[in-house]
Amino acid sequence: MTDRAQPLRHEVELEVRYAETDQMGVVHHANYLVWFELARTALCAQTEYPYSRIETELDVWLMVSGVHASYRGGARYGDRIAISAWIQQLRSRTVHFGYAVRRDSDVLVEGVTEHVWVDRGTKKPRRMPPVLEPVFRRLAGLGG
Amino acid sequence: MTDRAQPLRHEVELEVRYAETDQMGVVHHANYLVWFELARTALCAQTEYPYSRIETELDVWLMVSGVHASYRGGARYGDRIAISAWIQQLRSRTVHFGYAVRRDSDVLVEGVTEHVWVDRGTKKPRRMPPVLEPVFRRLAGLGG
Amino acid sequence: MTDRAQPLRHEVELEVRYAETDQMGVVHHANYLVWFELARTALCAQTEYPYSRIETELDVWLMVSGVHASYRGGARYGDRIAISAWIQQLRSRTVHFGYAVRRDSDVLVEGVTEHVWVDRGTKKPRRMPPVLEPVFRRLAGLGG
Amino acid sequence: MTDRAQPLRHEVELEVRYAETDQMGVVHHANYLVWFELARTALCAQTEYPYSRIETELDVWLMVSGVHASYRGGARYGDRIAISAWIQQLRSRTVHFGYAVRRDSDVLVEGVTEHVWVDRGTKKPRRMPPVLEPVFRRLAGLGG
């Protein structure tokens, strides 16, 4: 028996858009945060609660409270890119997601985003909705 | 005496952002639509009904229904750019705005955006709210 | 026998990104130009000259000289969207592409982009490189 | 005498663009990185070496190697925002910039970006060009 969490990793693929490049000829660094979001969305979509359903049915937002990214290489227009996302830390009020952006076997960018659950009406931080707990625990590899 | 409309022209200035360039070394063409919007916002802000007030107090949106842009030259990172906007056509249900994007005396881009008034609740097209009619008529140079 | 051109239509699919929405809750209108570009890129990638190869090997750019878009409906976060692109007009110095953006059977946006061939070094307009002529004629359904 | 660095802080102001909001009704978190860049650009423009001159005359890029941002509040459409930037750490091969994004007296976002000097031709990391050393030392408040 082990308590090492084995979070579900989910990967999305995309092709770099021309509009995502800047005059250095590589993807502008802010766009990787958009890609992180894509992979996070796709990870949550593996459950019965895709993110759009969380927002509209549960009246909560999973707001970004922090971002960390470290850039080793630049993606270029037309590159085929894979972005994987997983839950790195799960608490009652916060979730941290981890990310890796790869071109073939090269890791170009790694990142973490930190989130807090917020009530849509009051905009105040709150606990994760109880119905999501088993869902996110499974994503995080923490059992049901 | 003349009834030729003399619409109010309003100009905003900005400096090109690095993130707005693409790998051609010029501003990506989609960003000019964002600049048009900036100038349109600033034009409406000359009245007692800035656009944020229109959305929140009058429960209407001025949705974009059409866009036309013609590109003659490319703005570059760090360029100082002036964008002017004016009302080109005003009807009970639609507004057309015209734009010119200049670097010094060079016109880089010209454009038109077409808009319809939409009810925020029903999302259906509607007439311009009566309270806005004199406001927009003045902007359009059509008298009060 | 007919000489009606039957241009190749190519379709790409994407899922709406959170970052592409604005506070109206729909995709910001400027982003459709980025989607047009995606579909145009994918159309050219059906040939032996994908756009990245055109830029790097032939030292020409296919610059955007005009854009027209007409918006009938708004795509929403998480929507599955199909964008088709085709060559609408092919001349020795210019290319016009047509686009349709669909969600299921609803056409949300239609558009046209106009392009000129530009020499990468001199930045001056020029004719289409001869090696591309049969390629683009086939795309345009004009025979080889 | 003291060796406490007093870096030059420079502030830029902007008004939130509609296109910068997302469907939460606040500025999408990736856009703050673009704002950091604006403030960093304006800080460097206080010297005789604005960033565009660094790129074109010295053939180096100051590439982003890391980003950290922490979000406390969300800027809204039409908000008047001030972004200040300063050099937080200066080494021979790297520069760290710090940022604070404010609406009136509220700090909405704080951040740090880490950069490496890269040769434009070889794309390899390198030391800061000697001509920039006194310039950046002064910006960093480290004397001339």
Side-chain angles (χ1 to χ4, degrees):
Chain A
M1 192 193 132
T2 171
D3 59 359
R4 270 289 290 292
Q6 294 291 344
L8 180 68
R9 282 171 173 261
H10 186 72
E11 192 171 276
V12 293
E13 292 212 344
L14 56 79
E15 205 176 295
V16 175
R17 301 174 174 188
Y18 205 94
E20 291 171 331
T21 62
D22 66 22
Q23 70 181 38
M24 271 201 227
V26 291
V27 169
H28 187 269
H29 63 280
N31 289 317
Y32 293 95
L33 273 57
V34 176
W35 294 1
F36 291 171
E37 189 170 63
L38 267 183
R40 180 168 73 242
T41 290
L43 175 67
C44 296
Q46 300 308 301
T47 73
E48 61 273 38
Y49 277 97
Y51 191 66
S52 52
R53 195 178 165 202
I54 292 178
E55 281 201 351
T56 52
E57 289 186 23
L58 303 179
D59 270 329
V60 293
W61 280 325
L62 189 54
M63 282 192 68
V64 178
S65 58
V67 161
H68 307 276
S70 117
Y71 303 85
R72 303 183 194 174
R76 295 182 170 276
Y77 170 59
D79 279 356
R80 194 83 206 158
I81 298 293
I83 306 126
S84 55
W86 62 93
I87 290 184
Q88 203 175 67
Q89 187 195 81
L90 182 67
R91 302 230 168 114
S92 59
R93 293 173 167 277
T94 59
V95 193
H96 293 191
F97 291 88
Y99 308 90
V101 177
R102 284 188 184 79
R103 181 179 49 210
D104 303 324
S105 60
D106 289 340
V107 176
L108 301 180
V109 179
E110 290 177 302
V112 172
T113 59
E114 303 160 358
H115 302 257
V116 290
W117 296 99
V118 171
D119 187 277
R120 261 181 103 174
T122 65
K123 264 90 183 176
K124 300 253 187 240
R126 47 157 293 168
R127 293 178 64 95
M128 174 170 27
V131 68
L132 290 181
E133 273 180 43
V135 174
F136 272 73
R137 284 185 61 81
R138 275 195 302 272
L139 274 187
L142 295 167
Chain B
M1 193 196 132
T2 171
D3 57 357
R4 271 290 291 289
Q6 295 290 345
L8 180 68
R9 281 171 174 262
H10 186 71
E11 191 171 277
V12 294
E13 291 213 343
L14 56 80
E15 205 178 296
V16 176
R17 302 174 174 188
Y18 206 95
E20 291 172 330
T21 62
D22 65 23
Q23 69 181 36
M24 271 200 228
V26 292
V27 169
H28 187 270
H29 63 279
N31 289 317
Y32 293 94
L33 273 56
V34 176
W35 294 0
F36 290 171
E37 190 170 62
L38 267 182
R40 182 169 71 241
T41 290
L43 175 68
C44 295
Q46 300 307 302
T47 74
E48 61 273 38
Y49 278 97
Y51 191 65
S52 52
R53 195 178 165 203
I54 293 178
E55 281 202 349
T56 52
E57 289 185 23
L58 303 179
D59 269 331
V60 293
W61 279 324
L62 190 53
M63 281 193 69
V64 178
S65 58
V67 162
H68 307 275
S70 114
Y71 303 86
R72 303 182 193 175
R76 296 182 169 276
Y77 170 60
D79 279 355
R80 194 84 206 157
I81 299 294
I83 305 126
S84 54
W86 62 92
I87 290 184
Q88 203 174 68
Q89 186 196 82
L90 181 67
R91 302 230 167 114
S92 59
R93 294 174 167 276
T94 60
V95 193
H96 294 191
F97 292 88
Y99 309 91
V101 177
R102 283 187 184 76
R103 181 181 49 209
D104 304 324
S105 60
D106 289 338
V107 176
L108 302 179
V109 179
E110 290 177 302
V112 173
T113 59
E114 303 160 358
H115 301 256
V116 290
W117 296 99
V118 172
D119 187 277
R120 260 180 104 175
T122 65
K123 264 91 183 176
K124 301 254 186 238
R126 49 157 291 168
R127 291 178 66 94
M128 174 171 26
V131 70
L132 291 181
E133 273 180 42
V135 174
F136 273 73
R137 283 184 61 81
R138 273 195 303 273
L139 274 187
L142 296 167
Chain C
M1 193 193 133
T2 172
D3 57 358
R4 272 289 290 293
Q6 295 291 344
L8 180 68
R9 281 172 174 262
H10 187 71
E11 191 172 277
V12 294
E13 292 212 344
L14 55 80
E15 206 177 295
V16 175
R17 302 174 174 189
Y18 205 94
E20 290 171 331
T21 63
D22 65 22
Q23 70 182 36
M24 273 201 226
V26 291
V27 169
H28 188 270
H29 63 279
N31 289 318
Y32 293 94
L33 272 57
V34 176
W35 294 0
F36 291 171
E37 190 170 63
L38 267 182
R40 181 170 71 242
T41 291
L43 175 67
C44 295
Q46 301 306 303
T47 73
E48 61 272 38
Y49 277 97
Y51 191 65
S52 52
R53 195 178 165 203
I54 292 177
E55 280 201 351
T56 52
E57 289 185 24
L58 303 179
D59 270 329
V60 293
W61 278 325
L62 189 54
M63 282 193 68
V64 177
S65 58
V67 161
H68 308 276
S70 112
Y71 303 86
R72 303 183 192 173
R76 296 182 168 277
Y77 170 59
D79 279 355
R80 194 82 206 159
I81 299 294
I83 305 125
S84 54
W86 61 92
I87 290 184
Q88 203 174 68
Q89 186 196 81
L90 181 67
R91 301 231 168 113
S92 59
R93 293 174 166 277
T94 59
V95 193
H96 294 190
F97 292 88
Y99 309 91
V101 177
R102 285 188 183 77
R103 181 180 49 209
D104 303 324
S105 60
D106 290 339
V107 176
L108 302 179
V109 179
E110 290 177 301
V112 172
T113 59
E114 302 160 359
H115 301 256
V116 289
W117 296 100
V118 172
D119 187 278
R120 262 180 103 174
T122 65
K123 264 90 181 176
K124 301 254 186 238
R126 47 158 291 168
R127 293 177 64 94
M128 175 171 26
V131 69
L132 290 181
E133 273 180 43
V135 174
F136 273 72
R137 284 185 61 81
R138 273 195 303 272
L139 274 187
L142 295 167
Chain D
M1 190 194 133
T2 171
D3 58 359
R4 268 291 287 292
Q6 294 291 344
L8 180 68
R9 281 171 174 262
H10 186 72
E11 191 171 276
V12 294
E13 292 213 343
L14 55 80
E15 205 177 296
V16 175
R17 302 176 173 186
Y18 204 95
E20 291 172 330
T21 62
D22 66 22
Q23 68 181 37
M24 272 201 226
V26 291
V27 169
H28 187 270
H29 64 279
N31 289 317
Y32 293 95
L33 273 57
V34 176
W35 294 0
F36 291 171
E37 190 170 62
L38 268 182
R40 179 169 73 242
T41 290
L43 175 67
C44 295
Q46 300 308 301
T47 72
E48 62 273 39
Y49 278 97
Y51 191 65
S52 52
R53 194 177 166 204
I54 292 177
E55 281 202 350
T56 52
E57 288 185 24
L58 303 179
D59 270 329
V60 294
W61 280 325
L62 189 53
M63 281 192 69
V64 178
S65 58
V67 162
H68 308 275
S70 114
Y71 303 86
R72 302 182 194 175
R76 295 182 169 277
Y77 170 59
D79 280 355
R80 194 84 205 156
I81 299 293
I83 306 126
S84 55
W86 62 92
I87 290 184
Q88 203 175 66
Q89 187 196 80
L90 182 66
R91 301 229 168 114
S92 60
R93 293 173 167 276
T94 60
V95 192
H96 294 191
F97 293 88
Y99 309 90
V101 177
R102 285 187 182 77
R103 181 180 49 210
D104 305 323
S105 61
D106 289 338
V107 176
L108 301 179
V109 179
E110 290 177 301
V112 173
T113 59
E114 303 160 357
H115 301 255
V116 290
W117 296 99
V118 171
D119 188 277
R120 261 179 104 174
T122 66
K123 265 89 183 177
K124 301 252 186 238
R126 48 158 290 167
R127 292 178 66 94
M128 176 169 25
V131 69
L132 291 180
E133 272 180 43
V135 174
F136 272 73
R137 283 185 61 83
R138 275 196 301 273
L139 274 187
L142 295 167

